[in-house]
Amino acid sequence: SLMITDECINCDVCEPECPNGAISPGEEIYVIDPSLCTECVGHFDEPQCQQVCPVDCIPHDPQHAESQDQLYAKYQLIVSSV
Ligand code: SF4
Ligand code: SF4
């Protein structure tokens, strides 16, 4: 999963780009739900939120480091549950 750091300026451009609905406005800054973020695996070659963020504040979340296989399994789980 990726994460949003406190550099976030709450511009809201990332939220609509997420194919998994993983991004939402948090109490102070935007947040990513690690259970929904597949790093865009299954949808796109590159993380879409990283592509659009004007302040480049969406790195990998060291607390939620996952392999491509794990991310793809998460994608399949999300797709099968909707
Ligand atoms: Fe959503 Fe992709 Fe960003 Fe994860 S990397 S929060 S799935 S847009
Ligand atoms: Fe925050 Fe970047 Fe998302 Fe804008 S695009 S809301 S700065 S994380």
Side-chain angles (χ1 to χ4, degrees), residues 4 7-15 23 30 49 52-58:
I4 295 172
E7 320 259 300
C8 172
I9 56 171
N10 294 309
C11 72
D12 190 42
V13 301
C14 57
E15 184 186 1
I23 304 175
Y30 275 70
C49 55
V52 299
C53 181
V55 295
D56 199 17
C57 70
I58 317 182

Side-chain angles (χ1 to χ4, degrees), residues 15-73:
E15 184 186 1
E17 298 301 324
C18 180
N20 296 317
I23 304 175
S24 62
E27 295 207 352
E28 291 183 359
I29 55 170
Y30 275 70
V31 293
I32 291 175
D33 181 342
S35 68
L36 292 177
C37 175
T38 63
E39 301 181 18
C40 286
V41 168
H43 292 281
F44 299 102
D45 290 340
E46 300 285 339
Q48 298 297 292
C49 55
Q50 275 184 338
Q51 303 286 310
V52 299
C53 181
V55 295
D56 199 17
C57 70
I58 317 182
H60 281 97
D61 183 351
Q63 307 285 335
H64 297 97
E66 295 147 295
S67 68
Q68 292 294 301
D69 285 349
Q70 286 174 311
L71 291 166
Y72 192 72

